[in-house]
Amino acid sequence: MTELETPRPEAGELLVKVAAASLNGFDAATAAGYLQGMMEHRFPLVVGKDFAGTVEALGEGVDGFAVGDTVFGVVAKPYLGTGSLAEYVTVPAAHGVVQVPEGLSVRDAGALGLAGTAALDSLNAVALDKGETVLISGATGGVGALAVQIAVARGAEVIATARPGAPAEFVTGLTDAEVHVVDHTGDLEAQVRALAPGGVDALVHLAGDGVLLAGLLRPGGRLVSTAGFDPAGVEGQDVTVNILMADPKAETLSALAEGVASGPLRVPITAVYPLEQAPEAFAAFGSGNLGKIAISCS
């Protein structure tokens, strides 16, 4: 923890007093230095993508927001430096931020943006339809837990990977509908084939061996990956491959917010840490914490 001057919003930006944030794999990768050379780093670099809070000031030319608005979203800048694990953050008003609707708590909003966007974008990428079967690998993380719920809400049959015990119970507890949990540490192919003998219609690859998992798709199946999938691994296989980078558009964030506010979706927060305990939160994240870790910044 350190003290910095309160940032000032540039033209087209909002200054947000942050009330809540959360941790994502992107934040852990940034903190570990894995993104060096991939994105510009501006120091002192504040980590954090998700945020929810109150608009404190408007930069020149901002329309559609007012001081006092409660907003949430994802810090969407082309460089790393002005992150959300702080009391204040500046964000572009034109991308990655929307107002918090009635029925969505600030705490939940602060943990929804990036994981929710990745989950919704993933299911849109594979054009998941009612009655189809989708395999979601990495279902115990924030993205996977939300993807399970969105897929169920769309009327799909969901097969999700999780270890037996608490992880599997976490996944089955995400929704009232039946979710088939398969143990990725066992004979995964046999377990999935028992549920979908002809192969699954779609694969949301968030963790694990993507090529192995792609082998469980039916001919003509679709896969989307956020986990560094190499399309060369399925060359010659009759599958459609999508490599995803989550894009927090306003319409995406609004759809997610409405989904939580109206009931079908639940933000899977399993732990909350105050901002001053962010190092402990990162340690918990690295140890495989289930669901989302929220950060209280107020």
Side-chain angles (χ1 to χ4, degrees), residues 131-201:
E132 290 193 307
T133 300
V134 60
L135 173 61
I136 300 175
S137 68
T140 57
V143 179
L146 285 160
V148 166
Q149 296 177 66
I150 295 169
V152 165
R154 292 189 176 182
E157 183 174 354
V158 178
I159 304 173
T161 66
R163 293 177 182 270
E169 292 171 5
F170 168 77
V171 173
T172 56
L174 290 169
T175 172
D176 291 336
E178 183 179 17
V179 174
H180 304 284
V181 176
V182 291
D183 178 9
H184 58 277
T185 65
D187 189 340
L188 185 61
E189 181 173 3
Q191 296 172 76
V192 173
R193 292 289 181 186
L195 296 166
V200 297
D201 298 296

Side-chain angles (χ1 to χ4, degrees), residues 120-296:
L120 185 54
D121 284 356
S122 292
L123 293 173
N124 288 341
V126 295
L128 188 66
D129 208 352
K130 183 177 182 179
E132 290 193 307
T133 300
V134 60
L135 173 61
I136 300 175
S137 68
T140 57
V143 179
L146 285 160
V148 166
Q149 296 177 66
I150 295 169
V152 165
R154 292 189 176 182
E157 183 174 354
V158 178
I159 304 173
T161 66
R163 293 177 182 270
E169 292 171 5
F170 168 77
V171 173
T172 56
L174 290 169
T175 172
D176 291 336
E178 183 179 17
V179 174
H180 304 284
V181 176
V182 291
D183 178 9
H184 58 277
T185 65
D187 189 340
L188 185 61
E189 181 173 3
Q191 296 172 76
V192 173
R193 292 289 181 186
L195 296 166
V200 297
D201 298 296
L203 164 65
V204 177
H205 173 231
L206 307 172
D209 185 336
V211 174
L212 173 67
L213 291 162
L216 301 174
L217 286 163
R218 65 164 174 80
R222 299 96 63 194
L223 78 85
V224 61
S225 176
T226 66
F229 185 84
D230 183 1
V234 294
E235 191 171 346
Q237 191 172 331
D238 182 17
V239 298
T240 301
V241 178
N242 300 274
I243 306 300
L244 184 79
M245 180 72 74
D247 183 9
K249 298 177 182 177
E251 53 265 38
T252 301
L253 294 172
S254 294
L256 291 164
E258 184 56 36
V260 177
S262 63
L265 298 183
R266 176 175 62 83
V267 183
I269 294 172
T270 56
V272 181
Y273 290 80
L275 179 60
E276 58 268 21
Q277 291 181 14
E280 290 88 340
F282 272 100
F285 185 92
S287 68
N289 185 86
L290 301 174
K292 290 290 297 179
I293 294 178
I295 304 292
S296 174

